[in-house]
Amino acid sequence: MSAPRCCGVAATDAGRETPAAKYAGNHVRSSLFVRRCRSTVEWIIPAAILALLPKCPLCLAAYLVLATGVGLSMSAAIYLRTTIVTLCVASLLYMTARSIQRARQLKLATGK
């Protein structure tokens, strides 16, 4: 007499997957999809901010007044614009370095 098998065991038996194994495969696929979407959004947000950011600090101050009702001096608008550009460029550089590092690790792991 054989012992009953638990459905939580993620082993295959004669080509049949248990429910736990099927769920684990779907979970891996969905987490990979979420990770790829998050990675894409991480690249799009700073790039879009840089593309849509006005070049003139006075325009930035005017947009801020229209959007929030908060007035901003010219010098504060200059500092704000410089800070936004610096943060966006830094985040894009960080993501570029991270992508290069991942590619190098993949290259070393595969031996190509």
Side-chain angles (χ1 to χ4, degrees), residues 30-100:
S30 66
S31 68
L32 181 63
F33 176 74
V34 169
R35 192 178 320 136
R36 285 183 181 172
C37 289
R38 191 183 80 208
S39 176
T40 302
V41 169
E42 285 177 353
W43 281 94
I44 289 174
I45 289 175
I49 290 172
L50 282 175
L52 298 175
L53 189 67
K55 292 181 180 96
C56 172
L58 191 59
C59 294
L60 178 64
Y63 290 154
L64 190 64
V65 167
L66 289 174
T68 64
V70 176
L72 204 61
S73 68
M74 184 67 162
S75 62
I78 290 171
Y79 288 124
L80 178 64
R81 185 182 181 288
T82 304
T83 303
I84 291 172
V85 169
T86 303
L87 288 174
C88 289
V89 169
S91 67
L92 288 171
L93 287 173
Y94 170 74
M95 288 184 286
T96 302
R98 189 175 63 182
S99 294
I100 291 171

Side-chain angles (χ1 to χ4, degrees), residues 16-27:
R16 296 182 183 164
E17 285 185 327
T18 62
K22 288 180 185 178
Y23 173 74
N26 289 338
H27 181 66

